[in-house]
Amino acid sequence: MLSAQERAHVAQVWDLIAGHEALFGAELLLRLFTVYPSTKTYFKHLGDPPDEVQLLSHGQRVLEAVGVAVRHMDNLRAALSPLADLHARVLRVDPTNFPLLIQCFQVVLASHLQGEFTVEMQVVWDKFLTGLAVVLTEKYR
Ligand code: HEM
C-alpha cells in the first residue's frame, strides 16, 4: 500500500483535479473509447459518437468515485464495496479494461497538469489507481 508521503502526493494532485471532475472525466472516457474502441461495448447507451452531455455526466460520476477513493485511501475496500459489486456482479466489466482506463487517466492528467504531473506524481498515481482497480475487480472471484 501507499506510504504517508505517497498518499500526500496523491492528495496534492487530487487538489488540482477537484472542481473539474466532469471535464476530466469526459475527456478520460472519450480517450478510452477512441484509443480502445472495444471499451465502447459497455457504453452503447451513450450513443456513437457518445452524447456530450452524457459523457460529462458519467465522467463526473467516475471522477467523483476517484475522489471518494482519495478520501478513503486507508479504507478503500469498504469505501468502494458497492461500486465493486456493481462492476463485477451487475455490469460484469472485464477486468482487462481497468488498465486501459488507468492509461487514459494518466494521459488526461499529464495533458492538463503538465509540469505539475511530474514523473514522481505519475508513479504514485499509477500505484494508487492500480490499487483502486484491484479493489473494483476482486469481487469477480
Ligand atoms: C458505472 C466508476 C472503471 C464501465 C460507474 C459508476 C461509477 C464508476 C462511479 C456509476 C455508478 C452508479 O451509477 O451508481 C468507475 C471507476 C473506475 C471504473 C472509479 C476505475 C477506476 C470502469 C471500466 C469500465 C466501466 C474500466 C468498462 C470499460 C462502467 C459502466 C457503468 C459504470 C458500463 C454503468 C454506466 C451507466 O449506468 O450509464 N463506474 N468505473 N467502469 N462503469 Fe465504471
Side-chain angles (χ1 to χ4, degrees):
M1 262 285 106
L2 301 180
S3 70
Q5 195 193 17
E6 288 171 331
R7 286 168 191 229
H9 283 334
V10 170
Q12 197 180 323
V13 168
W14 178 257
D15 284 345
L16 301 170
I17 303 170
H20 309 285
E21 286 88 348
L23 177 73
F24 279 38
E27 216 174 291
L28 162 61
L29 293 172
L30 197 58
R31 282 186 183 270
L32 182 68
F33 300 158
T34 310
V35 181
Y36 305 109
S38 64
T39 59
K40 287 193 289 187
T41 53
Y42 297 98
F43 293 94
K44 290 204 176 102
H45 55 292
L46 300 190
D48 196 7
D51 175 73
E52 202 177 317
V53 173
Q54 298 213 49
L55 268 186
L56 285 163
S57 140
H58 187 62
Q60 176 159 8
R61 281 192 287 166
V62 174
L63 270 269
E64 280 172 354
V66 175
V68 169
V70 170
R71 289 191 292 282
H72 295 87
M73 273 187 276
D74 49 354
N75 200 9
L76 271 190
R77 213 152 261 127
L80 299 178
S81 182
L83 207 53
D85 279 331
L86 179 75
H87 285 78
R89 303 207 170 113
V90 181
L91 299 168
R92 298 181 177 273
V93 173
D94 190 307
T96 56
N97 290 289
F98 285 80
L100 309 180
L101 185 145
I102 291 174
Q103 154 76 12
C104 292
F105 199 159
Q106 292 183 359
V107 173
V108 171
L109 292 181
S111 75
H112 279 277
L113 308 181
Q114 298 184 10
E116 299 197 72
F117 193 60
T118 59
V119 174
E120 196 183 17
M121 293 300 182
Q122 184 177 355
V123 171
V124 295
W125 266 78
D126 189 64
K127 247 174 129 172
F128 166 64
L129 291 172
T130 301
L132 182 57
V134 165
V135 170
L136 288 187
T137 54
E138 66 190 1
K139 296 212 186 183
Y140 290 76
R141 279 180 248 127

